[in-house]
Amino acid sequence: MAFTASGVFKQFLLDPVFAGTSTSATGYGANGIGASGDTVKVALFNNSVTPDKDAAVASTGFNTGTWTTGNEVVDATNWVSGGRALSGNTLSSVTNAVMFDATDLAGGGAVTLSNVYGCFVYDDSVSGGTVADQGVCFNYFGGAQSVTGGTFTIVWHANGIFRVTV
């Protein structure tokens, strides 16, 4: 076989990021578990943040870099600082792609939030290394979102919280 294209090895993504899943071959990841078994949280942010997918690792944790609590949008009771934990974290390995997904995330009780522009998804189980609470991704909601005394729900896309084509 000759070279016909460039690519990323799917196992490179599966091992360090999703260690401990049925598709992972080695023991990488926080606590040897990886994002599908770690506590992954979602914090809400206003439009004062400047997301940078090329940021240095030290600036990608919760309450570091642009993701400081001064820019976080919270409800004192139902969507507290630091965010809410995901449930149903899953990894899908399909032809030419790796996808991370979870159950849609709803704030409990009567939530009051305003000017929510997006969320920061981070691995709360990462406690050492260059940065604690390592960022996974950030998701833009398409503009300001608000709720008064209701339920604030993040409905993840059918292609997951993030999807990487390899």
Side-chain angles (χ1 to χ4, degrees), residues 52-62 64-65 126 128-135:
D52 179 6
K53 59 186 169 187
D54 295 319
V57 69
S59 296
T60 63
F62 176 73
T64 62
V126 175
T130 305
V131 65
D133 299 329
Q134 176 78 48

Side-chain angles (χ1 to χ4, degrees), residues 45-143:
F45 280 85
N46 61 29
N47 205 31
S48 296
V49 299
T50 305
D52 179 6
K53 59 186 169 187
D54 295 319
V57 69
S59 296
T60 63
F62 176 73
N63 205 23
T64 62
T66 196
W67 307 107
T68 61
T69 57
N71 294 321
E72 188 179 10
V73 179
V74 299
D75 176 278
T77 305
N78 300 304
W79 206 302
V80 299
S81 181
R84 298 182 64 84
L86 291 174
S87 64
N89 303 4
T90 59
L91 167 71
S92 296
S93 174
V94 296
T95 303
N96 298 326
V98 173
M99 179 178 80
F100 178 66
D101 200 7
T103 305
D104 294 343
L105 187 60
V111 178
T112 297
L113 301 164
S114 62
N115 293 316
V116 180
Y117 278 79
C119 67
F120 175 68
V121 180
Y122 69 98
D123 190 333
D124 192 44
S125 297
V126 175
S127 60
T130 305
V131 65
D133 299 329
Q134 176 78 48
V136 173
C137 65
F138 50 88
N139 301 75
Y140 174 55
F141 296 157

